[in-house]
Amino acid sequence: MSGGARALPDPRFSLNQRTLRQWTLPELAAGCAAAGVRHVGLWRGPVREYGPAAAARLVRGAGLAVSSLCRGGFLTAADPERRRAALADNRAAVAEAAELGTRTLVLVPGGLPEGDRDLAAARERVADALAELGPYAAGYGVRLAVEPLHPMYASDRSVVSTLRQALDLAERFPAGQVGVVVDTYHLWWDDTVAGQLVRAGEGGRIAAFQLADWVTPLPEGVLLGRGQLGDGCVDLRWFRERVDAAGYRGPVETEIFSPALWARDGAEVLAEVLDRYRRYVTGIPAVSEPPPIPPSVTER
């Protein structure tokens, strides 16, 4: 491109904060604004460190909207005191999401408590917690988004491994209270996912859509081994087309946990992610416009 023009991202593209963990929150806001990104997915740790109210002003000042807040959840404890603590933490997460202006709080359901082997009972404890938290969140204008994780996480992070299991939980409650997260990294392997996406769409249950690739062997284990878009075996465009066909019109969030990306220059990584997104997710040629002057976003 000539004359200082730049490629404009898909207006629905969202950058999850963990993809550029090396950036501070002000750097994230400034970098996304400069690149023309309109949405960011935020994490509670950095937001709490910066201050939720200050973080909300920061992203708004950069012209950004928060696509989701991660994370609530971990709702499988059988011990009454731990259960109370988990519910209190999730209520705090709901309030933080509302302050940031996002309607979506991502919930990681939680794994098996130590010594427990009953997956079904653990899922029921998640359902019991959703029954308490759903109306509470709705009062703040926030929807709980249950995220099924790859089965390798079942013991320690999520007893909900498939989109079917997530929908079985969510459908016990009003769609405005509880939805689901569709994450390609976690769901690409499941040969029932196409039908479950139709089911999710018919019920208005898709609350968030997230992207990462699966590379073999996993370079950093299952937690931090997510692949850059296009580097692995996931048909990312297939997912995008079917999620769109299911009626989802919200942000499309790239969430890649990768020490290899975190070790690189953030602006370089963001440019690469945007290029990969165009090539492997949308297939839409880039359009361009003169680069704007990014707003000042460094003041708290």
Side-chain angles (χ1 to χ4, degrees), residues 33-248:
V37 172
R38 300 184 183 183
H39 306 274
V40 289
L42 298 181
W43 278 68
R44 292 181 68 200
V47 166
R48 282 185 156 187
E49 183 178 346
Y50 197 78
R57 291 193 298 270
L58 180 75
V59 295
R60 283 197 299 267
L64 300 169
V66 180
S67 52
S68 71
L69 179 64
C70 193
R71 66 191 180 218
F74 290 89
L75 299 168
T76 55
D79 174 76
E81 187 58 37
R82 291 183 179 181
R83 172 182 167 79
R84 282 192 290 272
L87 290 171
D89 183 63
N90 277 269
R91 292 188 185 98
V94 165
E96 292 160 13
E99 183 145 36
L100 292 168
T102 179
R103 189 168 181 262
T104 303
L105 175 63
V106 175
L107 299 187
V108 174
L112 286 171
E114 186 176 356
D116 195 334
R117 293 176 174 82
D118 193 338
L119 285 166
R123 291 188 195 114
E124 283 303 309
R125 290 194 291 274
V126 175
D128 291 343
L130 292 173
E132 292 193 39
L133 293 171
Y136 180 84
Y140 279 83
V142 172
R143 179 157 66 155
L144 308 177
V146 178
E147 181 170 18
L149 304 190
H150 191 281
M152 285 198 289
Y153 289 96
S155 66
D156 63 341
R157 290 180 182 270
S158 180
V159 296
V160 179
S161 301
T162 66
L163 188 55
R164 178 186 62 79
Q165 290 170 347
L167 288 168
D168 286 348
L169 281 172
E171 287 172 354
R172 301 188 193 190
F173 310 100
Q177 292 183 14
V178 184
V180 298
V181 180
V182 176
D183 188 318
T184 61
Y185 180 75
H186 295 299
L187 299 177
W188 70 272
W189 57 275
D190 184 356
D191 64 359
T192 71
V193 74
Q196 296 303 316
L197 286 171
V198 173
R199 173 187 172 188
E202 289 173 346
R205 296 286 174 173
I206 302 177
F209 177 35
Q210 297 181 330
L211 303 171
D213 216 332
W214 183 283
V215 295
T216 305
L218 293 173
E220 297 281 350
V222 69
L223 181 60
L224 302 181
R226 300 188 186 199
Q228 171 64 285
L229 306 181
D231 278 355
C233 58
V234 181
D235 192 340
L236 299 166
R237 193 174 302 173
W238 182 94
F239 267 94
R240 170 69 184 265
E241 289 171 352
R242 276 147 186 83
V243 169
D244 282 358
Y248 179 73

